């Protein structure tokens, strides 16, 4: 496989604040050509705070992200990565928040136990854009099942 180029699977941002899930490398354990897991990091950036926490994704996590995007498209709140082995992400669509923004919460359940919510003024097409990113991620980084 060629050298791994980091890829933003999630980038929910506006001019001031962002929450990004960046895939930083594929991991091989089984000896197959496909990746067994993806090593990633969740990056939070605001004028108030900046943070980073590691995450590990498998093929089922990507499937669950697709399901989360479907739920978000219907206006529902979602929680993603509930396994307890990675940080948990909770997303509330702007229609359901007092701030009028999409609110992205990150809970570092594995390490620090810190819980942060970042309100982001998202564009109307942000969910469709993230579906495209998921499709690209699946193509670029095939994962074993």
């Amino acid at each position: 496989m060629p050298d791994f180029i980091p890829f933003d699977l999630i980038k929910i941002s506006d001019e001031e604040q962002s929450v990004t899930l960046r895939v930083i490398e594929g991991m091989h354990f089984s000896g197959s050509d496909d990746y067994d897991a993806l090593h990633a990091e969740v990056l939070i950036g605001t004028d108030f705070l900046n943070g980073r926490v590691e995450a590990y994704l498998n093929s089922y996590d990507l499937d669950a992200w697709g399901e989360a995007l479907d739920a978000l498209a219907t206006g529902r709140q979602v929680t993603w990565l509930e396994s307890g082995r990675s940080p948990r992400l909770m997303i509330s669509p702007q229609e359901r928040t007092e701030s009028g923004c999409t609110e992205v919460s990150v809970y570092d359940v594995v390490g620090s136990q810190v819980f942060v919510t970042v309100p982001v003024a998202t564009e109307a097409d942000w969910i469709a854009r993230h579906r495209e990113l998921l499709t690209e991620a699946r193509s670029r980084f095939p994962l074993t099942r």
Side-chain angles (χ1 to χ4, degrees), residues 41-94:
E41 59 187 354
V42 177
L43 305 165
I44 300 166
T46 75
D47 286 342
F48 180 67
L49 67 91
N50 290 295
R52 178 193 170 281
V53 62
E54 286 187 316
Y56 293 89
L57 308 174
N58 59 36
S59 62
Y60 303 105
D61 295 328
L62 295 186
D63 293 345
W65 177 235
E67 292 167 9
L69 289 170
D70 291 343
L72 286 163
T74 66
R76 294 186 312 214
Q77 298 178 152
V78 300
T79 300
W80 182 56
L81 297 177
E82 295 184 86
S83 69
R85 63 176 158 67
S86 286
R88 186 173 301 152
L89 275 71
M90 291 141 291
I91 304 173
S92 297
Q94 64 187 30

Side-chain angles (χ1 to χ4, degrees), residues 1-29:
M1 293 243 157
D3 290 335
F4 199 91
I5 299 169
F7 175 80
D8 292 345
L9 174 63
I10 299 172
K11 185 160 183 89
I12 302 173
S13 63
D14 58 26
E15 294 177 6
E16 297 176 9
Q17 311 197 114
S18 67
V19 176
T20 302
L21 187 138
R22 179 167 295 148
V23 177
I24 54 178
E25 69 176 326
M27 304 174 76
H28 294 281
F29 306 119

Side-chain angles (χ1 to χ4, degrees), residues 72-137:
L72 286 163
T74 66
R76 294 186 312 214
Q77 298 178 152
V78 300
T79 300
W80 182 56
L81 297 177
E82 295 184 86
S83 69
R85 63 176 158 67
S86 286
R88 186 173 301 152
L89 275 71
M90 291 141 291
I91 304 173
S92 297
Q94 64 187 30
E95 303 85 13
R96 298 185 60 114
T97 66
E98 289 183 29
S99 68
C101 294
T102 299
E103 293 181 355
V104 184
S105 299
V106 179
Y107 178 25
D108 180 16
V109 296
V110 178
S112 68
Q113 301 293 306
V114 169
F115 183 93
V116 175
T117 298
V118 180
V120 181
T122 51
E123 296 180 14
D125 68 343
W126 78 271
I127 295 172
R129 188 170 37 85
H130 280 83
R131 287 180 206 252
E132 292 170 4
L133 291 172
L134 177 58
T135 299
E136 184 177 346

